[in-house]
Amino acid sequence: MEFLRLFFAVLFGFLSSSQLGISQVLDDRTILVEIGKEIGVSFWSLNNSDYCSWIGISCSLKNHSAVEKLDLSSHGLQGNVTLISELRALKWLDLSYNNFHGSIPREFGNLSELQVLDLSFNKFGSSIPVELGRLKNLKSLNLSNNFLTGIIPEELEGLEKLEEFQIYTNRMNGSIPEWLGNLTNLRTFTAYENELSGYVPDNLGSVSELQLLNVHSNQLEGSIPESIFANEKLEVLVLTQNRLNGMIPSSVGNCKGLSSIRIGNNKLTGNIPKEIGNITGLTYFEADNNLLSGEIVSEFAQCLNLTLLNLASNGFSGTIPPEFGQLSNLQELILSGNGLFGEIPNTILSCKNLNKLDLSSNRLNGSIPQEICSTSKLQYLLLSQNFIRGEIPHEIGNCIKLLELQLGSNYLTGNIPPEIGHMKNLQIALNLSSNHLRGQLPQELGKLDKLVALDLSNNLLTGNIPIALKGMLSLIEVNFSNNQLTGPIPTFVPFQKSPNSSFFGNKGLCGEPLSPSCGNLNGSGHVYYHHRVSYRIILTVIGSGLAVFVSVTIVVLLYMMRERQEEAGKGGGTTDDETTGKPVIIAGSVFVENLRQAIDFDAAVKATVKESNKLSVGTFSTVYRADMPSGMTLSVKKLRSMDKTLIHHQSKMIRELERLSKLTHANLIRPIGFVIYEDVALLLHQYFPNGTLAQFLHEFTKKQDYKPDWPTRLSIAIGVAEGLAFLHHVAIIHLDISSGNVLLDSNFNPLVGEVEISKLLDPSRGTASISAVAGSFGYIPPEYAYTMQVTAPGNVYSYGVVLLELLTTRIPVDEEFGEGIDLVKWVHGAPLRGETPEQILDAKLSTVSFAWRKEMLSTLKVALLCTDSTPAKRPKMKKVVEMLQEITQ
Ligand SMILES: *[C@@H]1O[C@H](CO)[C@@H](O)[C@H](O)[C@H]1NC(C)=O
Ligand SMILES: *[C@@H]1O[C@H](CO)[C@@H](O)[C@H](O)[C@H]1NC(C)=O
Ligand SMILES: *[C@@H]1O[C@H](CO)[C@@H](O)[C@H](O)[C@H]1NC(C)=O
Ligand SMILES: *[C@@H]1O[C@H](CO)[C@@H](O)[C@H](O)[C@H]1NC(C)=O
Ligand SMILES: *[C@@H]1O[C@H](CO)[C@@H](O)[C@H](O)[C@H]1NC(C)=O
Ligand SMILES: *[C@@H]1O[C@H](CO)[C@@H](O)[C@H](O)[C@H]1NC(C)=O
Ligand SMILES: *[C@@H]1O[C@H](CO)[C@@H](O)[C@H](O)[C@H]1NC(C)=O
Ligand SMILES: *[C@@H]1O[C@H](CO)[C@@H](O)[C@H](O)[C@H]1NC(C)=O
Ligand SMILES: *[C@@H]1O[C@H](CO)[C@@H](O)[C@H](O)[C@H]1NC(C)=O
């Protein structure tokens, strides 16, 4: 059969092009068929005689039997590619984005016609074969994103026609060869993310057409050679994250076409040459984290297209040139961490495109100009740690686009202006800490309903914390400490969830979390009243969609309270059994037939009374370990009183639980039963002795004897993704995805928990309380803050946070990230900070082997997609599973 098929295939090919050269017809066709078999090409229609029309193949126009172009990129192919070297007429070979591994075949050196060779984004290993130096016609060589090691071979010197040479993200060492500077046609050279050392050759750029030089994240030393700027062609220069020293050559001004200079994270010294102003087309200049000094040259102001200027963390002194006001395209001006003094020039504030102004950690004095935000699109205003005096101008209210305002550690005086409430977009942080601010907190702060972090600590603020602050619906972190505030702390979840240190140092404050109550001042009945009022406020603030279920919650709560009073009135008996103190079980059931004998409801209830049985505390529930008299161990989940509503819907709840118990997936925890007593619902589950993923990542991995293991983490990631993909498939949106809700069995298989909560508290059906839409801090997608709607893309975001935890071994919310920055922002901000993925990933894992590192980088890409701030851009859970599975292949 096989023989016949091949025979016919050959025959067809022969007939159709019999007028052309026969031997080549047989050759290229037979070779293609063999190549197809070797690397598993399934999309070629082998029975179609015209192989030149097969997908990815083009033949020569002059000689229609010769395969000239083979483009097999992005087909998930693997196998032995050596045979491709038999296609002797090949001019273009693109195998990028596949799974090819092993060495690059030496035989490719026989493809003497080859002009384009693209093997990027594969798993090719060992060193670059010297035979590639025989490809005299090669114009473009791309070997990026592989596992290549060794040096750039001497033999490539012969590639005189080379225009583009890309070898970024490999593990190549040695130095950048001298002969590269002799390649007269070279336009692009990228070798970033390798282990290259030594000097940048001092002839690089002198004779070539070099437009793009990108060698960031290597170990290059010495100075930036003048030659780079000798030709005027250079457009993009990236030398970030090396060990370069010396001064920036003044010849930089020769490169009129330079648009982007990135030389941050080196050891460069001296001034920035005034000639920088000659590069009129400069759009991007980033030289942060060096040892540069002197004044910031005003000549930058001649670069009218400049959009970013980042000189942070250097030794610059002097004042900020007022001429910068001419930079109408400037979007980011980052000068933090220098020794700048003088005032903030008013002119800068008139840069109409300015988006980020970071002048923090300098010695600036003067006051905040009234012109602030009069024309600008400012989103980030970071002025902390300076000597800024005077009052915060009322004009601060004009900053309606502001996302973050950092004014901490200055000498600001006066009141907090009420106009601060106009900054409706303020989200990331409002930090006025460590100043000399006085007076009362303005009610208007409560209008900042997107704000996540508020820090007013270390001031002289007086009066009560206004109840109106409960309008700050997105608040997560709050700090009022070390002021002169008085009165009760309003009942507001973000306040009570804060550590009591957030309120320390105010002699007059009382109530949770400082003290249980305010004594006579404020009865608990009052607190409860405010509690419900707060819901009403929320109700008016946010849209009608949410209002529906909030009001349902309130109605149900009131109804339940009345019902319980009536029950009590009937003469007890249904509640506590007074003689034994043992609660009376109202209902209970075990769904799994063969476990009925082994489970004792009384023992389950008793277990939840003992603190020592407590395993974890979640958003909706507390989980206890319960040892049954039968010897079986259960995990018992006690639902938070906030969600008592569901007990009211008992029969519905039982139906849902029973349905869920039949929903079998290897990565989902199923309920095996429930118990209801008084107003408490207990859900019974299997017990997993290895605890939660959160414990595994953040407690277990700290132990001495822990051996880091990436494959286990990746398989956990895939398991969780599969569980969630299945949930979405059956149209269940999870309410609280977090590493604390992923349990690990004895083989470290992950099981997603709290699934039933999602079903029982389905917010779209109006049975959830307001807290139900929140989820766990650090995992909440940004859009929930205003949509208040739990969605599948929202789940993908939370899952992305879990992925980031697996990659970084960091917790989602950590002070180490800095003010208002969570894990997601920290990771997404890495490129801007000039940090490499290595500084993000858990180095204990990423440095173990190159294969692990590679997989981690691929997983990082998936995590970044999942945590995209735009919900529509996030992949579906099913796609996430596919992407992760591809990584392991
Ligand atoms: C090639 O074979 C497939 C089945 O193997 C058939 O569906 C298709 O129509 C055939 N194409 C041609 C051009 O004969
Ligand atoms: C790949 O195939 C060629 C012949 O086509 C053979 O010489 C070579 O050994 C094979 N390589 C591997 C790694 O199997
Ligand atoms: C077609 O090209 C092949 C090699 O590329 C060559 O062997 C053959 O002679 C050419 N045929 C014609 C008709 O030019
Ligand atoms: C192709 O290259 C290999 C290794 O570089 C060499 O041994 C072989 O002789 C070459 N084949 C042909 C047909 O030129
Ligand atoms: C490889 O490099 C070439 C030349 O610079 C470029 O055109 C091509 O797009 C690159 N391939 C990939 C997959 O990025
Ligand atoms: C480059 O790395 C290889 C191992 O991959 C090592 O044997 C060699 O000595 C290194 N060469 C240089 C110049 O560092
Ligand atoms: C580069 O070219 C110059 C001048 O032609 C020559 O002197 C030098 O030896 C060449 N360098 C290399 C490494 O080939
Ligand atoms: C380049 O900059 C220097 C210093 O700012 C200036 O004196 C010189 O005139 C400029 N040259 C050109 C050609 O613009
Ligand atoms: C500035 O940017 C504009 C728009 O991109 C461009 O047309 C102009 O040529 C640039 N100016 C310089 C001096 O390069």
Side-chain angles (χ1 to χ4, degrees), residues 171 708-710 713 807 809 837-857:
R171 219 176 202 185
D709 179 5
W710 168 247
R713 293 197 186 194
L807 286 164
T809 323
E838 276 61 41
Q839 289 168 276
I840 300 293
L841 301 175
D842 184 346
K844 277 206 215 73
L845 294 161
S846 63
T847 54
V848 168
S849 81
F850 198 52
W852 285 15
R853 175 177 173 273
K854 190 94 178 175
E855 290 188 355
M856 289 178 77
L857 286 174

PDB file of all heavy atoms in Angstrom, residues 171 708-710 713 807 809 837-857:
ATOM      1  N   ARG A 171      22.063  30.891  24.948  1.00  0.00           N
ATOM      2  CA  ARG A 171      23.018  30.858  26.050  1.00  0.00           C
ATOM      3  C   ARG A 171      24.441  30.955  25.512  1.00  0.00           C
ATOM      4  O   ARG A 171      25.341  30.286  25.972  1.00  0.00           O
ATOM      5  CB  ARG A 171      22.812  29.578  26.849  1.00  0.00           C
ATOM      6  CG  ARG A 171      22.975  29.843  28.302  1.00  0.00           C
ATOM      7  CD  ARG A 171      22.686  28.653  29.133  1.00  0.00           C
ATOM      8  NE  ARG A 171      22.348  29.048  30.494  1.00  0.00           N
ATOM      9  CZ  ARG A 171      22.131  28.188  31.460  1.00  0.00           C
ATOM     10  NH1 ARG A 171      22.204  26.895  31.233  1.00  0.00           N
ATOM     11  NH2 ARG A 171      21.836  28.616  32.666  1.00  0.00           N
ATOM     12  N   PRO A 708      13.774  22.561  45.047  1.00  0.00           N
ATOM     13  CA  PRO A 708      12.844  23.187  44.101  1.00  0.00           C
ATOM     14  C   PRO A 708      12.641  22.317  42.867  1.00  0.00           C
ATOM     15  O   PRO A 708      13.564  21.634  42.426  1.00  0.00           O
ATOM     16  CB  PRO A 708      13.530  24.504  43.746  1.00  0.00           C
ATOM     17  CG  PRO A 708      14.947  24.320  44.094  1.00  0.00           C
ATOM     18  CD  PRO A 708      15.039  23.297  45.157  1.00  0.00           C
ATOM     19  N   ASP A 709      11.453  22.336  42.384  1.00  0.00           N
ATOM     20  CA  ASP A 709      11.115  21.444  41.292  1.00  0.00           C
ATOM     21  C   ASP A 709      10.148  22.154  40.361  1.00  0.00           C
ATOM     22  O   ASP A 709       8.981  22.346  40.688  1.00  0.00           O
ATOM     23  CB  ASP A 709      10.487  20.175  41.890  1.00  0.00           C
ATOM     24  CG  ASP A 709      10.082  19.186  40.816  1.00  0.00           C
ATOM     25  OD1 ASP A 709      10.373  19.436  39.633  1.00  0.00           O
ATOM     26  OD2 ASP A 709       9.458  18.176  41.172  1.00  0.00           O
ATOM     27  N   TRP A 710      10.626  22.567  39.207  1.00  0.00           N
ATOM     28  CA  TRP A 710       9.783  23.273  38.257  1.00  0.00           C
ATOM     29  C   TRP A 710       8.759  22.356  37.603  1.00  0.00           C
ATOM     30  O   TRP A 710       7.578  22.742  37.489  1.00  0.00           O
ATOM     31  CB  TRP A 710      10.641  24.006  37.218  1.00  0.00           C
ATOM     32  CG  TRP A 710       9.824  24.497  36.084  1.00  0.00           C
ATOM     33  CD1 TRP A 710       9.853  24.077  34.801  1.00  0.00           C
ATOM     34  CD2 TRP A 710       8.786  25.488  36.144  1.00  0.00           C
ATOM     35  NE1 TRP A 710       8.927  24.730  34.042  1.00  0.00           N
ATOM     36  CE2 TRP A 710       8.247  25.603  34.837  1.00  0.00           C
ATOM     37  CE3 TRP A 710       8.247  26.271  37.169  1.00  0.00           C
ATOM     38  CZ2 TRP A 710       7.213  26.477  34.529  1.00  0.00           C
ATOM     39  CZ3 TRP A 710       7.203  27.136  36.855  1.00  0.00           C
ATOM     40  CH2 TRP A 710       6.706  27.238  35.562  1.00  0.00           C
ATOM     41  N   ARG A 713       5.658  22.166  39.514  1.00  0.00           N
ATOM     42  CA  ARG A 713       4.891  23.416  39.480  1.00  0.00           C
ATOM     43  C   ARG A 713       4.133  23.569  38.165  1.00  0.00           C
ATOM     44  O   ARG A 713       2.983  23.981  38.149  1.00  0.00           O
ATOM     45  CB  ARG A 713       5.821  24.611  39.676  1.00  0.00           C
ATOM     46  CG  ARG A 713       6.408  24.642  41.056  1.00  0.00           C
ATOM     47  CD  ARG A 713       6.970  26.001  41.343  1.00  0.00           C
ATOM     48  NE  ARG A 713       7.671  25.990  42.622  1.00  0.00           N
ATOM     49  CZ  ARG A 713       8.038  27.071  43.258  1.00  0.00           C
ATOM     50  NH1 ARG A 713       7.800  28.247  42.738  1.00  0.00           N
ATOM     51  NH2 ARG A 713       8.657  26.990  44.412  1.00  0.00           N
ATOM     52  N   LEU A 807       5.650  30.945  39.410  1.00  0.00           N
ATOM     53  CA  LEU A 807       6.885  31.326  38.726  1.00  0.00           C
ATOM     54  C   LEU A 807       7.841  32.094  39.632  1.00  0.00           C
ATOM     55  O   LEU A 807       9.047  32.002  39.491  1.00  0.00           O
ATOM     56  CB  LEU A 807       6.545  32.208  37.517  1.00  0.00           C
ATOM     57  CG  LEU A 807       5.952  31.499  36.321  1.00  0.00           C
ATOM     58  CD1 LEU A 807       5.315  32.510  35.374  1.00  0.00           C
ATOM     59  CD2 LEU A 807       7.020  30.711  35.586  1.00  0.00           C
ATOM     60  N   THR A 809       7.403  32.459  43.237  1.00  0.00           N
ATOM     61  CA  THR A 809       7.339  32.091  44.650  1.00  0.00           C
ATOM     62  C   THR A 809       7.113  33.323  45.519  1.00  0.00           C
ATOM     63  O   THR A 809       7.636  33.420  46.618  1.00  0.00           O
ATOM     64  CB  THR A 809       8.615  31.341  45.094  1.00  0.00           C
ATOM     65  OG1 THR A 809       9.040  30.503  44.035  1.00  0.00           O
ATOM     66  CG2 THR A 809       8.358  30.463  46.317  1.00  0.00           C
ATOM     67  N   PRO A 837      13.689  39.015  32.885  1.00  0.00           N
ATOM     68  CA  PRO A 837      12.850  37.982  33.480  1.00  0.00           C
ATOM     69  C   PRO A 837      13.549  37.273  34.640  1.00  0.00           C
ATOM     70  O   PRO A 837      12.909  36.883  35.608  1.00  0.00           O
ATOM     71  CB  PRO A 837      12.602  37.020  32.325  1.00  0.00           C
ATOM     72  CG  PRO A 837      12.761  37.832  31.106  1.00  0.00           C
ATOM     73  CD  PRO A 837      13.799  38.867  31.431  1.00  0.00           C
ATOM     74  N   GLU A 838      14.877  37.186  34.566  1.00  0.00           N
ATOM     75  CA  GLU A 838      15.624  36.500  35.630  1.00  0.00           C
ATOM     76  C   GLU A 838      15.403  37.149  36.985  1.00  0.00           C
ATOM     77  O   GLU A 838      15.434  36.495  38.013  1.00  0.00           O
ATOM     78  CB  GLU A 838      17.119  36.505  35.323  1.00  0.00           C
ATOM     79  CG  GLU A 838      17.574  35.393  34.417  1.00  0.00           C
ATOM     80  CD  GLU A 838      16.928  35.422  33.067  1.00  0.00           C
ATOM     81  OE1 GLU A 838      16.773  36.531  32.504  1.00  0.00           O
ATOM     82  OE2 GLU A 838      16.537  34.354  32.572  1.00  0.00           O
ATOM     83  N   GLN A 839      15.195  38.447  36.960  1.00  0.00           N
ATOM     84  CA  GLN A 839      15.025  39.144  38.229  1.00  0.00           C
ATOM     85  C   GLN A 839      13.609  38.972  38.757  1.00  0.00           C
ATOM     86  O   GLN A 839      13.317  39.349  39.878  1.00  0.00           O
ATOM     87  CB  GLN A 839      15.362  40.635  38.060  1.00  0.00           C
ATOM     88  CG  GLN A 839      16.845  40.851  37.871  1.00  0.00           C
ATOM     89  CD  GLN A 839      17.159  42.258  37.406  1.00  0.00           C
ATOM     90  OE1 GLN A 839      17.093  42.550  36.222  1.00  0.00           O
ATOM     91  NE2 GLN A 839      17.500  43.135  38.324  1.00  0.00           N
ATOM     92  N   ILE A 840      12.758  38.392  37.948  1.00  0.00           N
ATOM     93  CA  ILE A 840      11.365  38.185  38.314  1.00  0.00           C
ATOM     94  C   ILE A 840      11.146  36.734  38.739  1.00  0.00           C
ATOM     95  O   ILE A 840      10.538  36.456  39.766  1.00  0.00           O
ATOM     96  CB  ILE A 840      10.459  38.500  37.101  1.00  0.00           C
ATOM     97  CG1 ILE A 840      10.647  39.944  36.672  1.00  0.00           C
ATOM     98  CG2 ILE A 840       9.012  38.184  37.383  1.00  0.00           C
ATOM     99  CD1 ILE A 840      10.171  40.957  37.659  1.00  0.00           C
ATOM    100  N   LEU A 841      11.660  35.817  37.941  1.00  0.00           N
ATOM    101  CA  LEU A 841      11.442  34.398  38.200  1.00  0.00           C
ATOM    102  C   LEU A 841      12.157  33.984  39.484  1.00  0.00           C
ATOM    103  O   LEU A 841      13.138  34.599  39.880  1.00  0.00           O
ATOM    104  CB  LEU A 841      11.976  33.571  37.032  1.00  0.00           C
ATOM    105  CG  LEU A 841      11.362  33.861  35.673  1.00  0.00           C
ATOM    106  CD1 LEU A 841      12.072  33.062  34.592  1.00  0.00           C
ATOM    107  CD2 LEU A 841       9.879  33.518  35.680  1.00  0.00           C
ATOM    108  N   ASP A 842      11.664  32.914  40.097  1.00  0.00           N
ATOM    109  CA  ASP A 842      12.327  32.356  41.250  1.00  0.00           C
ATOM    110  C   ASP A 842      13.670  31.780  40.791  1.00  0.00           C
ATOM    111  O   ASP A 842      13.725  30.770  40.094  1.00  0.00           O
ATOM    112  CB  ASP A 842      11.456  31.246  41.859  1.00  0.00           C
ATOM    113  CG  ASP A 842      12.058  30.697  43.133  1.00  0.00           C
ATOM    114  OD1 ASP A 842      13.254  30.965  43.395  1.00  0.00           O
ATOM    115  OD2 ASP A 842      11.346  29.995  43.872  1.00  0.00           O
ATOM    116  N   ALA A 843      14.750  32.457  41.188  1.00  0.00           N
ATOM    117  CA  ALA A 843      16.079  32.070  40.691  1.00  0.00           C
ATOM    118  C   ALA A 843      16.461  30.659  41.132  1.00  0.00           C
ATOM    119  O   ALA A 843      17.234  29.980  40.466  1.00  0.00           O
ATOM    120  CB  ALA A 843      17.115  33.072  41.173  1.00  0.00           C
ATOM    121  N   LYS A 844      15.867  30.199  42.243  1.00  0.00           N
ATOM    122  CA  LYS A 844      16.168  28.838  42.698  1.00  0.00           C
ATOM    123  C   LYS A 844      15.733  27.812  41.663  1.00  0.00           C
ATOM    124  O   LYS A 844      16.238  26.704  41.629  1.00  0.00           O
ATOM    125  CB  LYS A 844      15.446  28.557  44.021  1.00  0.00           C
ATOM    126  CG  LYS A 844      16.180  29.073  45.228  1.00  0.00           C
ATOM    127  CD  LYS A 844      15.784  28.227  46.438  1.00  0.00           C
ATOM    128  CE  LYS A 844      15.723  29.053  47.693  1.00  0.00           C
ATOM    129  NZ  LYS A 844      14.541  29.946  47.733  1.00  0.00           N
ATOM    130  N   LEU A 845      14.756  28.188  40.842  1.00  0.00           N
ATOM    131  CA  LEU A 845      14.263  27.268  39.810  1.00  0.00           C
ATOM    132  C   LEU A 845      14.896  27.577  38.460  1.00  0.00           C
ATOM    133  O   LEU A 845      15.361  26.690  37.756  1.00  0.00           O
ATOM    134  CB  LEU A 845      12.743  27.410  39.680  1.00  0.00           C
ATOM    135  CG  LEU A 845      11.910  26.988  40.877  1.00  0.00           C
ATOM    136  CD1 LEU A 845      10.532  27.596  40.777  1.00  0.00           C
ATOM    137  CD2 LEU A 845      11.810  25.488  40.943  1.00  0.00           C
ATOM    138  N   SER A 846      14.932  28.878  38.122  1.00  0.00           N
ATOM    139  CA  SER A 846      15.312  29.233  36.755  1.00  0.00           C
ATOM    140  C   SER A 846      16.789  29.006  36.493  1.00  0.00           C
ATOM    141  O   SER A 846      17.219  28.971  35.349  1.00  0.00           O
ATOM    142  CB  SER A 846      14.940  30.686  36.469  1.00  0.00           C
ATOM    143  OG  SER A 846      15.660  31.549  37.299  1.00  0.00           O
ATOM    144  N   THR A 847      17.580  28.853  37.559  1.00  0.00           N
ATOM    145  CA  THR A 847      19.006  28.659  37.332  1.00  0.00           C
ATOM    146  C   THR A 847      19.408  27.189  37.399  1.00  0.00           C
ATOM    147  O   THR A 847      20.572  26.858  37.235  1.00  0.00           O
ATOM    148  CB  THR A 847      19.822  29.445  38.381  1.00  0.00           C
ATOM    149  OG1 THR A 847      19.373  29.066  39.672  1.00  0.00           O
ATOM    150  CG2 THR A 847      19.662  30.930  38.198  1.00  0.00           C
ATOM    151  N   VAL A 848      18.429  26.319  37.640  1.00  0.00           N
ATOM    152  CA  VAL A 848      18.758  24.893  37.760  1.00  0.00           C
ATOM    153  C   VAL A 848      19.174  24.324  36.401  1.00  0.00           C
ATOM    154  O   VAL A 848      20.211  23.678  36.277  1.00  0.00           O
ATOM    155  CB  VAL A 848      17.576  24.101  38.341  1.00  0.00           C
ATOM    156  CG1 VAL A 848      17.804  22.617  38.192  1.00  0.00           C
ATOM    157  CG2 VAL A 848      17.377  24.472  39.799  1.00  0.00           C
ATOM    158  N   SER A 849      18.360  24.590  35.393  1.00  0.00           N
ATOM    159  CA  SER A 849      18.748  24.102  34.076  1.00  0.00           C
ATOM    160  C   SER A 849      18.190  25.039  33.030  1.00  0.00           C
ATOM    161  O   SER A 849      17.229  25.769  33.272  1.00  0.00           O
ATOM    162  CB  SER A 849      18.219  22.689  33.831  1.00  0.00           C
ATOM    163  OG  SER A 849      16.867  22.735  33.433  1.00  0.00           O
ATOM    164  N   PHE A 850      18.808  24.995  31.882  1.00  0.00           N
ATOM    165  CA  PHE A 850      18.356  25.868  30.824  1.00  0.00           C
ATOM    166  C   PHE A 850      16.963  25.470  30.360  1.00  0.00           C
ATOM    167  O   PHE A 850      16.140  26.314  30.013  1.00  0.00           O
ATOM    168  CB  PHE A 850      19.355  25.819  29.673  1.00  0.00           C
ATOM    169  CG  PHE A 850      19.208  26.982  28.759  1.00  0.00           C
ATOM    170  CD1 PHE A 850      19.211  28.265  29.256  1.00  0.00           C
ATOM    171  CD2 PHE A 850      19.047  26.793  27.404  1.00  0.00           C
ATOM    172  CE1 PHE A 850      19.067  29.349  28.421  1.00  0.00           C
ATOM    173  CE2 PHE A 850      18.902  27.870  26.561  1.00  0.00           C
ATOM    174  CZ  PHE A 850      18.908  29.149  27.072  1.00  0.00           C
ATOM    175  N   ALA A 851      16.685  24.172  30.404  1.00  0.00           N
ATOM    176  CA  ALA A 851      15.363  23.702  29.977  1.00  0.00           C
ATOM    177  C   ALA A 851      14.280  24.268  30.895  1.00  0.00           C
ATOM    178  O   ALA A 851      13.238  24.734  30.433  1.00  0.00           O
ATOM    179  CB  ALA A 851      15.335  22.186  29.992  1.00  0.00           C
ATOM    180  N   TRP A 852      14.535  24.258  32.200  1.00  0.00           N
ATOM    181  CA  TRP A 852      13.553  24.800  33.150  1.00  0.00           C
ATOM    182  C   TRP A 852      13.341  26.279  32.893  1.00  0.00           C
ATOM    183  O   TRP A 852      12.226  26.777  32.861  1.00  0.00           O
ATOM    184  CB  TRP A 852      14.030  24.598  34.593  1.00  0.00           C
ATOM    185  CG  TRP A 852      13.890  23.187  35.081  1.00  0.00           C
ATOM    186  CD1 TRP A 852      13.678  22.073  34.313  1.00  0.00           C
ATOM    187  CD2 TRP A 852      13.972  22.743  36.437  1.00  0.00           C
ATOM    188  NE1 TRP A 852      13.625  20.977  35.116  1.00  0.00           N
ATOM    189  CE2 TRP A 852      13.800  21.346  36.427  1.00  0.00           C
ATOM    190  CE3 TRP A 852      14.177  23.384  37.659  1.00  0.00           C
ATOM    191  CZ2 TRP A 852      13.825  20.584  37.597  1.00  0.00           C
ATOM    192  CZ3 TRP A 852      14.202  22.633  38.818  1.00  0.00           C
ATOM    193  CH2 TRP A 852      14.025  21.240  38.784  1.00  0.00           C
ATOM    194  N   ARG A 853      14.460  26.972  32.708  1.00  0.00           N
ATOM    195  CA  ARG A 853      14.381  28.412  32.503  1.00  0.00           C
ATOM    196  C   ARG A 853      13.520  28.727  31.288  1.00  0.00           C
ATOM    197  O   ARG A 853      12.668  29.611  31.304  1.00  0.00           O
ATOM    198  CB  ARG A 853      15.793  28.955  32.319  1.00  0.00           C
ATOM    199  CG  ARG A 853      15.845  30.421  31.977  1.00  0.00           C
ATOM    200  CD  ARG A 853      17.281  30.893  31.878  1.00  0.00           C
ATOM    201  NE  ARG A 853      17.358  32.243  31.392  1.00  0.00           N
ATOM    202  CZ  ARG A 853      17.395  32.568  30.110  1.00  0.00           C
ATOM    203  NH1 ARG A 853      17.368  31.633  29.181  1.00  0.00           N
ATOM    204  NH2 ARG A 853      17.458  33.826  29.738  1.00  0.00           N
ATOM    205  N   LYS A 854      13.770  27.967  30.237  1.00  0.00           N
ATOM    206  CA  LYS A 854      13.038  28.159  28.986  1.00  0.00           C
ATOM    207  C   LYS A 854      11.532  27.955  29.200  1.00  0.00           C
ATOM    208  O   LYS A 854      10.715  28.767  28.773  1.00  0.00           O
ATOM    209  CB  LYS A 854      13.570  27.137  27.988  1.00  0.00           C
ATOM    210  CG  LYS A 854      13.106  27.353  26.594  1.00  0.00           C
ATOM    211  CD  LYS A 854      14.113  28.166  25.860  1.00  0.00           C
ATOM    212  CE  LYS A 854      13.680  28.345  24.423  1.00  0.00           C
ATOM    213  NZ  LYS A 854      14.594  29.226  23.728  1.00  0.00           N
ATOM    214  N   GLU A 855      11.207  26.869  29.895  1.00  0.00           N
ATOM    215  CA  GLU A 855       9.789  26.596  30.171  1.00  0.00           C
ATOM    216  C   GLU A 855       9.187  27.688  31.036  1.00  0.00           C
ATOM    217  O   GLU A 855       8.042  28.094  30.851  1.00  0.00           O
ATOM    218  CB  GLU A 855       9.637  25.242  30.867  1.00  0.00           C
ATOM    219  CG  GLU A 855       9.928  24.077  29.950  1.00  0.00           C
ATOM    220  CD  GLU A 855       9.585  22.730  30.571  1.00  0.00           C
ATOM    221  OE1 GLU A 855       9.203  22.681  31.772  1.00  0.00           O
ATOM    222  OE2 GLU A 855       9.698  21.720  29.863  1.00  0.00           O
ATOM    223  N   MET A 856       9.977  28.176  31.980  1.00  0.00           N
ATOM    224  CA  MET A 856       9.470  29.228  32.865  1.00  0.00           C
ATOM    225  C   MET A 856       9.209  30.509  32.075  1.00  0.00           C
ATOM    226  O   MET A 856       8.213  31.192  32.307  1.00  0.00           O
ATOM    227  CB  MET A 856      10.454  29.485  34.010  1.00  0.00           C
ATOM    228  CG  MET A 856      10.487  28.337  35.006  1.00  0.00           C
ATOM    229  SD  MET A 856      11.688  28.602  36.321  1.00  0.00           S
ATOM    230  CE  MET A 856      10.820  29.784  37.359  1.00  0.00           C
ATOM    231  N   LEU A 857      10.102  30.807  31.150  1.00  0.00           N
ATOM    232  CA  LEU A 857       9.900  32.020  30.345  1.00  0.00           C
ATOM    233  C   LEU A 857       8.636  31.887  29.503  1.00  0.00           C
ATOM    234  O   LEU A 857       7.856  32.839  29.374  1.00  0.00           O
ATOM    235  CB  LEU A 857      11.116  32.264  29.456  1.00  0.00           C
ATOM    236  CG  LEU A 857      12.357  32.778  30.187  1.00  0.00           C
ATOM    237  CD1 LEU A 857      13.553  32.847  29.248  1.00  0.00           C
ATOM    238  CD2 LEU A 857      12.095  34.142  30.799  1.00  0.00           C
TER     239      LEU A 857
END
